[in-house]
Amino acid sequence: MAVQQSLANGASGRLWGGRFTGKTDELMEQYNESLSFDRVFYAQDIAGSIAYARANVTTKILTQHEFDAIENGLNQVLEEWRTDTFVIKKGIDEDIHTANERRLGEIIGTDIAGKLHTGRSRNDQVATDLRLWLRDELREIERYLIDLLKVVAERAQNDISLLMPSYTHLQRAQPIRWSHWLLSYGAFFADDLLRLREVIKRVNRCPLGCGAVAGNAFHIDRHAMAQELGFDGLLPNSMAAVADRVFILETMQWGSTLMMNISRWSEDLIIYSSGEFGFVRLADAYTTGSSLMPQKKNSDSLELLRGKAGRVFGQMAGLMMSIKGIPSTYNKDLQESVEPMLAHVKTLKDSLLIAARVLATLTTFPTKMAAALTPDMLATDLAEYLVRKGLPFRETHHISGRVVALAETEDVPMDRLSLEQLQGVDRRFGADVLGVFDYERSVEMKDATGGTSRRAVEEQIQNLLRIIEKGE
């Protein structure tokens, strides 16, 4: 009895209703519907329908008068969505395509509106909507990523005189410029930008006119529709066009890589902003306090960036699992690509905005950075001093290691060892060896392309700006 009571109205009001005489379970209606989330594609769906109707004037499916009525009616539907006056009919409007066509029929009459779907399936329709929406969102994400890169470049230029330790294995390694650290992530994000531009090219291909699976029987001009909708080209196979959600998966793979890089960047800044380091301090706008400890200033913005990386990885992996086992062409499993895509894109956009604002507003503490530099970080410079005297590096590496051990034994910094002590390790140390213990000299010696000298850093800044400008 409970099951019988849950059966809803018949299927006669649906796009697919002619085949069905039985009723649909109310729970199944809720399980099946997608309008609650795919309504975000209302503008793309209408643009695709207008382009499709225009192309069907050429095929003689529509007269010019009928097309004009459809275009005017769809523009009215568009305005209703924009002004939040569109009335959804529960039990009828299962998705954005059904809702728009149903409303169009109410406005201009079903005799004309009923011709719109000739030769078209929701399979190529939803694929078109998804690609149009995602293309525009990715272009906005590209702008946000460029903004982050501009902040990186600007801070790298403005803070170029700041010196700090670099770290490997989270152990102090060699002196670098703070700008060099900034640009290390600038290089990661620049690669993300280049990859994004490639993803956009593959997203921006047109599936419209492929029908349900086998293609369009009315010689519709797919090239004309693609051009009207701003696509770069066509998907060449109708079966692949309606089955493909790899363009969403590739977007999520790209987004996961971006968030991995943002997460590592966040982790560094979390460490650098801790009391144990004190190199930077986040602006109050991007931190929170403790409900118990008044002294706390927590880097929640960075911790959330790090944490949300896990979320986007999960969305990518989940979609891959949804796609991997389905047979060819369209299956309803593909509807499960939409909600994670929407959430994924929002997370990427929010994260890029937060990251750029955190970096633009954080305060640096040059004295703390300089205080973290120690003479033992110049051990490689000491080895290279002897290399310049003609010794092989493997030998000089061993000699420098003995100097490090001597300083530890004497419990003094390396730069406090006397010339006599140094020559006791190796007679080839000259009086000029004490000049090695200069942090500014150390970074300026790393002058090859990609290094941390001022010239090399400025070169990296210009390279980064060139990458940005190529897409603007």
Short mmCIF file of all heavy atoms in Angstrom, two decimals, residues 107-169:
data_model
loop_
_atom_site.label_atom_id
_atom_site.label_comp_id
_atom_site.label_asym_id
_atom_site.label_seq_id
_atom_site.Cartn_x
_atom_site.Cartn_y
_atom_site.Cartn_z
N ILE A 107 4.57 29.41 -23.36
CA ILE A 107 4.66 30.79 -23.86
C ILE A 107 4.24 30.90 -25.32
O ILE A 107 3.47 31.79 -25.69
CB ILE A 107 6.10 31.33 -23.68
CG1 ILE A 107 6.44 31.43 -22.18
CG2 ILE A 107 6.27 32.69 -24.36
CD1 ILE A 107 7.90 31.73 -21.90
N ILE A 108 4.73 29.98 -26.16
CA ILE A 108 4.50 30.13 -27.61
C ILE A 108 3.60 29.04 -28.18
O ILE A 108 3.26 29.07 -29.37
CB ILE A 108 5.83 30.14 -28.40
CG1 ILE A 108 6.52 28.77 -28.34
CG2 ILE A 108 6.74 31.24 -27.89
CD1 ILE A 108 7.73 28.66 -29.26
N GLY A 109 3.21 28.09 -27.35
CA GLY A 109 2.38 26.99 -27.82
C GLY A 109 3.21 25.78 -28.19
O GLY A 109 4.32 25.91 -28.71
N THR A 110 2.65 24.61 -27.91
CA THR A 110 3.42 23.38 -28.12
C THR A 110 3.53 23.01 -29.59
O THR A 110 4.41 22.22 -29.95
CB THR A 110 2.77 22.22 -27.35
OG1 THR A 110 1.39 22.10 -27.75
CG2 THR A 110 2.86 22.46 -25.85
N ASP A 111 2.68 23.57 -30.45
CA ASP A 111 2.79 23.24 -31.88
C ASP A 111 4.14 23.68 -32.43
O ASP A 111 4.75 22.97 -33.24
CB ASP A 111 1.67 23.92 -32.67
CG ASP A 111 0.32 23.26 -32.43
OD1 ASP A 111 0.31 22.15 -31.85
OD2 ASP A 111 -0.71 23.84 -32.82
N ILE A 112 4.60 24.84 -32.00
CA ILE A 112 5.91 25.32 -32.45
C ILE A 112 7.00 24.81 -31.51
O ILE A 112 8.03 24.30 -31.97
CB ILE A 112 5.94 26.86 -32.51
CG1 ILE A 112 4.92 27.37 -33.53
CG2 ILE A 112 7.35 27.35 -32.85
CD1 ILE A 112 4.82 28.88 -33.61
N ALA A 113 6.79 24.93 -30.21
CA ALA A 113 7.82 24.52 -29.25
C ALA A 113 8.15 23.04 -29.42
O ALA A 113 9.30 22.62 -29.22
CB ALA A 113 7.37 24.80 -27.83
N GLY A 114 7.16 22.24 -29.81
CA GLY A 114 7.37 20.81 -29.97
C GLY A 114 8.31 20.45 -31.11
O GLY A 114 8.79 19.31 -31.18
N LYS A 115 8.57 21.38 -32.00
CA LYS A 115 9.49 21.12 -33.11
C LYS A 115 10.96 21.31 -32.71
O LYS A 115 11.85 20.86 -33.42
CB LYS A 115 9.18 22.06 -34.29
CG LYS A 115 7.83 21.82 -34.95
CD LYS A 115 7.67 22.74 -36.16
CE LYS A 115 6.38 22.44 -36.89
NZ LYS A 115 6.25 23.28 -38.12
N LEU A 116 11.19 22.01 -31.60
CA LEU A 116 12.56 22.36 -31.22
C LEU A 116 13.45 21.14 -31.04
O LEU A 116 14.62 21.16 -31.39
CB LEU A 116 12.53 23.19 -29.92
CG LEU A 116 13.89 23.51 -29.29
CD1 LEU A 116 14.75 24.35 -30.25
CD2 LEU A 116 13.70 24.25 -27.96
N HIS A 117 12.88 20.08 -30.53
CA HIS A 117 13.71 18.92 -30.15
C HIS A 117 13.92 17.94 -31.32
O HIS A 117 14.53 16.88 -31.14
CB HIS A 117 13.06 18.20 -28.97
CG HIS A 117 14.03 17.49 -28.08
ND1 HIS A 117 15.05 18.13 -27.42
CD2 HIS A 117 14.14 16.17 -27.73
CE1 HIS A 117 15.73 17.25 -26.70
NE2 HIS A 117 15.20 16.05 -26.88
N THR A 118 13.45 18.31 -32.49
CA THR A 118 13.59 17.42 -33.65
C THR A 118 15.05 17.06 -33.89
O THR A 118 15.90 17.93 -34.08
CB THR A 118 13.02 18.09 -34.92
OG1 THR A 118 11.66 18.47 -34.68
CG2 THR A 118 13.10 17.14 -36.11
N GLY A 119 15.35 15.78 -33.88
CA GLY A 119 16.71 15.34 -34.15
C GLY A 119 17.69 15.53 -33.01
O GLY A 119 18.86 15.19 -33.13
N ARG A 120 17.20 16.06 -31.91
CA ARG A 120 18.07 16.33 -30.76
C ARG A 120 17.69 15.43 -29.60
O ARG A 120 16.53 15.08 -29.42
CB ARG A 120 17.98 17.80 -30.34
CG ARG A 120 18.94 18.18 -29.21
CD ARG A 120 18.92 19.67 -28.92
NE ARG A 120 17.67 20.14 -28.34
CZ ARG A 120 17.50 21.31 -27.75
NH1 ARG A 120 18.53 22.16 -27.67
NH2 ARG A 120 16.34 21.67 -27.27
N SER A 121 18.67 15.08 -28.81
CA SER A 121 18.47 14.28 -27.61
C SER A 121 18.98 15.07 -26.41
O SER A 121 19.84 15.95 -26.54
CB SER A 121 19.24 12.96 -27.73
OG SER A 121 19.37 12.32 -26.48
N ARG A 122 18.46 14.71 -25.25
CA ARG A 122 19.05 15.30 -24.05
C ARG A 122 20.51 14.86 -23.88
O ARG A 122 21.27 15.50 -23.17
CB ARG A 122 18.24 14.94 -22.81
CG ARG A 122 16.93 15.70 -22.71
CD ARG A 122 16.21 15.42 -21.40
NE ARG A 122 15.81 14.02 -21.31
CZ ARG A 122 15.22 13.48 -20.24
NH1 ARG A 122 14.99 14.23 -19.16
NH2 ARG A 122 14.86 12.20 -20.23
N ASN A 123 20.88 13.78 -24.57
CA ASN A 123 22.27 13.31 -24.47
C ASN A 123 23.25 14.33 -25.04
O ASN A 123 24.26 14.65 -24.41
CB ASN A 123 22.43 11.98 -25.22
CG ASN A 123 21.63 10.85 -24.58
OD1 ASN A 123 20.98 11.04 -23.55
ND2 ASN A 123 21.65 9.68 -25.20
N ASP A 124 22.96 14.83 -26.26
CA ASP A 124 23.88 15.85 -26.80
C ASP A 124 23.58 17.22 -26.20
O ASP A 124 24.46 18.08 -26.13
CB ASP A 124 23.86 15.88 -28.33
CG ASP A 124 22.52 16.25 -28.94
OD1 ASP A 124 21.48 16.03 -28.30
OD2 ASP A 124 22.51 16.73 -30.10
N GLN A 125 22.35 17.39 -25.72
CA GLN A 125 21.98 18.67 -25.11
C GLN A 125 22.73 18.90 -23.80
O GLN A 125 23.32 19.96 -23.57
CB GLN A 125 20.47 18.70 -24.87
CG GLN A 125 19.90 20.07 -24.52
CD GLN A 125 18.38 20.05 -24.44
OE1 GLN A 125 17.74 19.04 -24.70
NE2 GLN A 125 17.80 21.18 -24.09
N VAL A 126 22.75 17.89 -22.92
CA VAL A 126 23.44 18.06 -21.65
C VAL A 126 24.94 18.15 -21.86
O VAL A 126 25.64 18.91 -21.16
CB VAL A 126 23.08 16.93 -20.65
CG1 VAL A 126 23.61 15.58 -21.11
CG2 VAL A 126 23.61 17.26 -19.26
N ALA A 127 25.47 17.39 -22.81
CA ALA A 127 26.90 17.48 -23.09
C ALA A 127 27.28 18.88 -23.54
O ALA A 127 28.34 19.41 -23.18
CB ALA A 127 27.29 16.45 -24.15
N THR A 128 26.39 19.50 -24.33
CA THR A 128 26.63 20.87 -24.78
C THR A 128 26.59 21.84 -23.60
O THR A 128 27.46 22.71 -23.45
CB THR A 128 25.59 21.28 -25.83
OG1 THR A 128 25.64 20.36 -26.93
CG2 THR A 128 25.84 22.70 -26.34
N ASP A 129 25.56 21.70 -22.77
CA ASP A 129 25.44 22.58 -21.60
C ASP A 129 26.68 22.49 -20.70
O ASP A 129 27.22 23.51 -20.25
CB ASP A 129 24.21 22.19 -20.77
CG ASP A 129 22.90 22.48 -21.47
OD1 ASP A 129 22.93 23.00 -22.61
OD2 ASP A 129 21.84 22.18 -20.89
N LEU A 130 27.10 21.25 -20.44
CA LEU A 130 28.25 21.05 -19.56
C LEU A 130 29.50 21.70 -20.12
O LEU A 130 30.26 22.36 -19.39
CB LEU A 130 28.50 19.55 -19.36
CG LEU A 130 27.50 18.80 -18.47
CD1 LEU A 130 27.70 17.30 -18.63
CD2 LEU A 130 27.66 19.20 -17.02
N ARG A 131 29.73 21.52 -21.40
CA ARG A 131 30.95 22.07 -22.00
C ARG A 131 30.91 23.59 -22.05
O ARG A 131 31.92 24.26 -21.79
CB ARG A 131 31.16 21.49 -23.40
CG ARG A 131 31.63 20.03 -23.38
CD ARG A 131 31.79 19.46 -24.76
NE ARG A 131 32.25 18.08 -24.73
CZ ARG A 131 33.54 17.71 -24.72
NH1 ARG A 131 34.49 18.63 -24.76
NH2 ARG A 131 33.88 16.44 -24.69
N LEU A 132 29.76 24.17 -22.36
CA LEU A 132 29.65 25.63 -22.37
C LEU A 132 29.89 26.21 -20.98
O LEU A 132 30.64 27.17 -20.81
CB LEU A 132 28.28 26.06 -22.88
CG LEU A 132 28.00 25.88 -24.37
CD1 LEU A 132 26.53 26.17 -24.67
CD2 LEU A 132 28.89 26.80 -25.21
N TRP A 133 29.25 25.62 -19.99
CA TRP A 133 29.38 26.13 -18.62
C TRP A 133 30.82 25.97 -18.14
O TRP A 133 31.41 26.91 -17.59
CB TRP A 133 28.43 25.37 -17.70
CG TRP A 133 28.44 25.87 -16.28
CD1 TRP A 133 27.70 26.89 -15.76
CD2 TRP A 133 29.27 25.38 -15.20
NE1 TRP A 133 28.01 27.06 -14.43
CE2 TRP A 133 28.95 26.16 -14.06
CE3 TRP A 133 30.21 24.38 -15.10
CZ2 TRP A 133 29.57 25.95 -12.83
CZ3 TRP A 133 30.83 24.16 -13.88
CH2 TRP A 133 30.51 24.94 -12.75
N LEU A 134 31.38 24.79 -18.34
CA LEU A 134 32.72 24.53 -17.82
C LEU A 134 33.76 25.39 -18.53
O LEU A 134 34.70 25.87 -17.89
CB LEU A 134 33.05 23.04 -17.98
CG LEU A 134 34.35 22.57 -17.32
CD1 LEU A 134 34.37 22.90 -15.84
CD2 LEU A 134 34.54 21.07 -17.54
N ARG A 135 33.60 25.58 -19.82
CA ARG A 135 34.53 26.46 -20.56
C ARG A 135 34.57 27.85 -19.94
O ARG A 135 35.65 28.40 -19.69
CB ARG A 135 34.09 26.56 -22.02
CG ARG A 135 34.90 27.55 -22.85
CD ARG A 135 34.18 27.89 -24.14
NE ARG A 135 32.96 28.63 -23.94
CZ ARG A 135 32.05 28.85 -24.90
NH1 ARG A 135 32.20 28.34 -26.10
NH2 ARG A 135 30.96 29.56 -24.63
N ASP A 136 33.40 28.42 -19.69
CA ASP A 136 33.35 29.78 -19.14
C ASP A 136 33.91 29.82 -17.72
O ASP A 136 34.60 30.78 -17.34
CB ASP A 136 31.91 30.30 -19.16
CG ASP A 136 31.40 30.50 -20.58
OD1 ASP A 136 32.23 30.55 -21.52
OD2 ASP A 136 30.17 30.60 -20.77
N GLU A 137 33.63 28.78 -16.94
CA GLU A 137 34.16 28.73 -15.57
C GLU A 137 35.68 28.59 -15.58
O GLU A 137 36.38 29.23 -14.78
CB GLU A 137 33.53 27.57 -14.81
CG GLU A 137 32.06 27.76 -14.48
CD GLU A 137 31.82 28.90 -13.51
OE1 GLU A 137 32.49 28.96 -12.47
OE2 GLU A 137 30.95 29.75 -13.82
N LEU A 138 36.20 27.78 -16.47
CA LEU A 138 37.65 27.59 -16.54
C LEU A 138 38.35 28.87 -16.99
O LEU A 138 39.47 29.16 -16.56
CB LEU A 138 38.00 26.43 -17.47
CG LEU A 138 37.65 25.04 -16.94
CD1 LEU A 138 37.99 23.97 -17.98
CD2 LEU A 138 38.35 24.74 -15.62
N ARG A 139 37.72 29.62 -17.85
CA ARG A 139 38.30 30.90 -18.25
C ARG A 139 38.34 31.87 -17.07
O ARG A 139 39.29 32.65 -16.94
CB ARG A 139 37.50 31.49 -19.42
CG ARG A 139 37.78 30.78 -20.75
CD ARG A 139 36.87 31.26 -21.86
NE ARG A 139 37.22 30.63 -23.13
CZ ARG A 139 36.48 30.69 -24.23
NH1 ARG A 139 35.32 31.34 -24.21
NH2 ARG A 139 36.87 30.10 -25.34
N GLU A 140 37.32 31.79 -16.22
CA GLU A 140 37.34 32.63 -15.01
C GLU A 140 38.42 32.14 -14.05
O GLU A 140 39.14 32.94 -13.44
CB GLU A 140 35.97 32.62 -14.34
CG GLU A 140 35.86 33.61 -13.20
CD GLU A 140 34.45 33.79 -12.69
OE1 GLU A 140 33.56 32.99 -13.07
OE2 GLU A 140 34.22 34.73 -11.91
N ILE A 141 38.55 30.84 -13.91
CA ILE A 141 39.61 30.28 -13.07
C ILE A 141 40.97 30.69 -13.61
O ILE A 141 41.89 31.00 -12.84
CB ILE A 141 39.48 28.75 -13.00
CG1 ILE A 141 38.28 28.37 -12.12
CG2 ILE A 141 40.75 28.09 -12.49
CD1 ILE A 141 37.93 26.90 -12.14
N GLU A 142 41.12 30.71 -14.92
CA GLU A 142 42.38 31.18 -15.52
C GLU A 142 42.70 32.60 -15.08
O GLU A 142 43.84 32.92 -14.73
CB GLU A 142 42.30 31.10 -17.04
CG GLU A 142 43.58 31.56 -17.74
CD GLU A 142 43.46 31.54 -19.26
OE1 GLU A 142 42.35 31.36 -19.78
OE2 GLU A 142 44.49 31.73 -19.93
N ARG A 143 41.69 33.46 -15.07
CA ARG A 143 41.92 34.85 -14.62
C ARG A 143 42.33 34.89 -13.15
O ARG A 143 43.22 35.67 -12.77
CB ARG A 143 40.65 35.68 -14.85
CG ARG A 143 40.34 35.94 -16.32
CD ARG A 143 39.28 37.01 -16.50
NE ARG A 143 37.97 36.58 -16.01
CZ ARG A 143 37.07 35.91 -16.74
NH1 ARG A 143 37.35 35.56 -17.99
NH2 ARG A 143 35.89 35.58 -16.24
N TYR A 144 41.71 34.05 -12.33
CA TYR A 144 42.07 34.02 -10.91
C TYR A 144 43.50 33.52 -10.72
O TYR A 144 44.23 34.03 -9.87
CB TYR A 144 41.10 33.12 -10.14
CG TYR A 144 39.69 33.64 -9.99
CD1 TYR A 144 38.70 32.85 -9.41
CD2 TYR A 144 39.34 34.91 -10.42
CE1 TYR A 144 37.40 33.31 -9.26
CE2 TYR A 144 38.04 35.37 -10.29
CZ TYR A 144 37.08 34.57 -9.71
OH TYR A 144 35.81 35.04 -9.57
N LEU A 145 43.88 32.52 -11.49
CA LEU A 145 45.24 31.99 -11.39
C LEU A 145 46.25 33.03 -11.85
O LEU A 145 47.33 33.18 -11.25
CB LEU A 145 45.35 30.71 -12.21
CG LEU A 145 46.70 29.99 -12.21
CD1 LEU A 145 47.24 29.76 -10.80
CD2 LEU A 145 46.59 28.66 -12.95
N ILE A 146 45.92 33.76 -12.89
CA ILE A 146 46.79 34.85 -13.35
C ILE A 146 46.94 35.90 -12.27
O ILE A 146 48.04 36.42 -12.03
CB ILE A 146 46.25 35.45 -14.66
CG1 ILE A 146 46.51 34.50 -15.83
CG2 ILE A 146 46.86 36.82 -14.94
CD1 ILE A 146 45.84 34.91 -17.12
N ASP A 147 45.86 36.22 -11.59
CA ASP A 147 45.93 37.20 -10.50
C ASP A 147 46.89 36.72 -9.40
O ASP A 147 47.67 37.52 -8.86
CB ASP A 147 44.54 37.45 -9.91
CG ASP A 147 43.64 38.26 -10.84
OD1 ASP A 147 44.18 38.90 -11.78
OD2 ASP A 147 42.41 38.23 -10.65
N LEU A 148 46.82 35.44 -9.05
CA LEU A 148 47.74 34.90 -8.05
C LEU A 148 49.18 35.01 -8.53
O LEU A 148 50.07 35.40 -7.77
CB LEU A 148 47.39 33.44 -7.75
CG LEU A 148 48.36 32.68 -6.84
CD1 LEU A 148 48.51 33.37 -5.48
CD2 LEU A 148 47.92 31.23 -6.66
N LEU A 149 49.42 34.70 -9.79
CA LEU A 149 50.77 34.78 -10.33
C LEU A 149 51.28 36.21 -10.36
O LEU A 149 52.48 36.46 -10.15
CB LEU A 149 50.80 34.17 -11.74
CG LEU A 149 50.75 32.64 -11.78
CD1 LEU A 149 50.43 32.15 -13.19
CD2 LEU A 149 52.06 32.04 -11.30
N LYS A 150 50.41 37.15 -10.60
CA LYS A 150 50.81 38.56 -10.57
C LYS A 150 51.23 38.98 -9.17
O LYS A 150 52.19 39.75 -9.01
CB LYS A 150 49.67 39.45 -11.08
CG LYS A 150 49.46 39.39 -12.59
CD LYS A 150 48.30 40.28 -13.02
CE LYS A 150 48.15 40.31 -14.53
NZ LYS A 150 47.00 41.13 -14.97
N VAL A 151 50.52 38.49 -8.17
CA VAL A 151 50.91 38.79 -6.79
C VAL A 151 52.27 38.17 -6.49
O VAL A 151 53.13 38.80 -5.85
CB VAL A 151 49.84 38.28 -5.80
CG1 VAL A 151 50.30 38.50 -4.36
CG2 VAL A 151 48.51 38.98 -6.03
N VAL A 152 52.49 36.94 -6.94
CA VAL A 152 53.79 36.29 -6.76
C VAL A 152 54.90 37.14 -7.37
O VAL A 152 55.94 37.41 -6.74
CB VAL A 152 53.79 34.88 -7.38
CG1 VAL A 152 55.21 34.30 -7.41
CG2 VAL A 152 52.86 33.95 -6.61
N ALA A 153 54.69 37.57 -8.61
CA ALA A 153 55.71 38.35 -9.31
C ALA A 153 55.96 39.70 -8.63
O ALA A 153 57.11 40.13 -8.48
CB ALA A 153 55.29 38.57 -10.77
N GLU A 154 54.89 40.34 -8.21
CA GLU A 154 55.02 41.65 -7.56
C GLU A 154 55.76 41.54 -6.23
O GLU A 154 56.67 42.33 -5.94
CB GLU A 154 53.64 42.27 -7.35
CG GLU A 154 53.69 43.67 -6.75
CD GLU A 154 52.31 44.29 -6.60
OE1 GLU A 154 51.32 43.67 -7.01
OE2 GLU A 154 52.23 45.41 -6.04
N ARG A 155 55.40 40.55 -5.43
CA ARG A 155 56.08 40.38 -4.15
C ARG A 155 57.53 39.96 -4.35
O ARG A 155 58.42 40.38 -3.61
CB ARG A 155 55.35 39.35 -3.28
CG ARG A 155 54.02 39.87 -2.76
CD ARG A 155 53.78 39.49 -1.33
NE ARG A 155 54.71 40.09 -0.40
CZ ARG A 155 54.41 40.42 0.86
NH1 ARG A 155 53.19 40.24 1.31
NH2 ARG A 155 55.31 40.93 1.66
N ALA A 156 57.77 39.12 -5.34
CA ALA A 156 59.15 38.70 -5.61
C ALA A 156 60.02 39.89 -5.98
O ALA A 156 61.18 39.98 -5.57
CB ALA A 156 59.16 37.66 -6.72
N GLN A 157 59.47 40.82 -6.73
CA GLN A 157 60.23 42.01 -7.10
C GLN A 157 60.43 42.94 -5.90
O GLN A 157 61.53 43.44 -5.65
CB GLN A 157 59.51 42.76 -8.22
CG GLN A 157 60.32 43.92 -8.81
CD GLN A 157 61.58 43.45 -9.50
OE1 GLN A 157 61.53 42.74 -10.50
NE2 GLN A 157 62.74 43.82 -8.97
N ASN A 158 59.36 43.17 -5.16
CA ASN A 158 59.43 44.12 -4.04
C ASN A 158 60.29 43.60 -2.88
O ASN A 158 60.91 44.38 -2.17
CB ASN A 158 58.02 44.41 -3.53
CG ASN A 158 57.19 45.19 -4.53
OD1 ASN A 158 57.73 45.81 -5.46
ND2 ASN A 158 55.88 45.17 -4.37
N ASP A 159 60.33 42.28 -2.70
CA ASP A 159 61.03 41.69 -1.55
C ASP A 159 62.35 41.05 -1.95
O ASP A 159 62.87 40.18 -1.24
CB ASP A 159 60.14 40.62 -0.88
CG ASP A 159 58.85 41.20 -0.31
OD1 ASP A 159 58.77 42.42 -0.16
OD2 ASP A 159 57.93 40.41 -0.01
N ILE A 160 62.92 41.47 -3.06
CA ILE A 160 64.06 40.75 -3.64
C ILE A 160 65.31 40.80 -2.75
O ILE A 160 66.18 39.95 -2.85
CB ILE A 160 64.38 41.31 -5.04
CG1 ILE A 160 65.24 40.31 -5.83
CG2 ILE A 160 65.03 42.68 -4.97
CD1 ILE A 160 65.33 40.63 -7.30
N SER A 161 65.40 41.75 -1.85
CA SER A 161 66.60 41.87 -1.02
C SER A 161 66.57 40.96 0.21
O SER A 161 67.58 40.81 0.90
CB SER A 161 66.79 43.32 -0.56
OG SER A 161 65.68 43.74 0.23
N LEU A 162 65.43 40.33 0.50
CA LEU A 162 65.29 39.52 1.70
C LEU A 162 65.98 38.16 1.51
O LEU A 162 65.72 37.47 0.53
CB LEU A 162 63.82 39.29 2.06
CG LEU A 162 63.10 40.40 2.84
CD1 LEU A 162 63.10 41.72 2.09
CD2 LEU A 162 61.67 39.96 3.15
N LEU A 163 66.83 37.80 2.47
CA LEU A 163 67.50 36.50 2.46
C LEU A 163 66.94 35.60 3.55
O LEU A 163 66.55 36.07 4.62
CB LEU A 163 69.01 36.66 2.67
CG LEU A 163 69.77 37.57 1.70
CD1 LEU A 163 71.26 37.47 1.97
CD2 LEU A 163 69.46 37.23 0.25
N MET A 164 66.92 34.31 3.26
CA MET A 164 66.37 33.33 4.22
C MET A 164 67.01 31.97 3.94
O MET A 164 67.66 31.78 2.91
CB MET A 164 64.84 33.23 4.06
CG MET A 164 64.42 32.70 2.69
SD MET A 164 62.63 32.46 2.51
CE MET A 164 62.39 30.95 3.45
N PRO A 165 66.83 31.03 4.83
CA PRO A 165 67.31 29.67 4.55
C PRO A 165 66.39 28.98 3.54
O PRO A 165 65.17 29.21 3.53
CB PRO A 165 67.23 28.96 5.91
CG PRO A 165 67.02 30.04 6.93
CD PRO A 165 66.32 31.15 6.21
N SER A 166 66.95 28.14 2.70
CA SER A 166 66.15 27.15 1.98
C SER A 166 66.17 25.86 2.81
O SER A 166 67.00 25.71 3.71
CB SER A 166 66.72 26.90 0.59
OG SER A 166 68.04 26.35 0.67
N TYR A 167 65.26 24.95 2.50
CA TYR A 167 65.14 23.73 3.29
C TYR A 167 65.01 22.52 2.37
O TYR A 167 64.31 22.54 1.37
CB TYR A 167 63.89 23.79 4.19
CG TYR A 167 63.98 24.87 5.24
CD1 TYR A 167 63.58 26.17 4.94
CD2 TYR A 167 64.49 24.61 6.51
CE1 TYR A 167 63.68 27.18 5.89
CE2 TYR A 167 64.58 25.61 7.47
CZ TYR A 167 64.18 26.90 7.14
OH TYR A 167 64.28 27.91 8.08
N THR A 168 65.74 21.47 2.70
CA THR A 168 65.49 20.14 2.15
C THR A 168 65.32 19.21 3.32
O THR A 168 66.02 19.34 4.34
CB THR A 168 66.65 19.66 1.26
OG1 THR A 168 67.83 19.51 2.06
CG2 THR A 168 66.94 20.65 0.14
N HIS A 169 64.35 18.28 3.21
CA HIS A 169 64.02 17.40 4.34
C HIS A 169 63.63 18.22 5.57
O HIS A 169 63.75 17.74 6.71
CB HIS A 169 65.19 16.47 4.69
CG HIS A 169 65.72 15.71 3.52
ND1 HIS A 169 65.17 14.55 3.06
CD2 HIS A 169 66.77 15.99 2.68
CE1 HIS A 169 65.85 14.11 2.02
NE2 HIS A 169 66.82 14.96 1.76
#
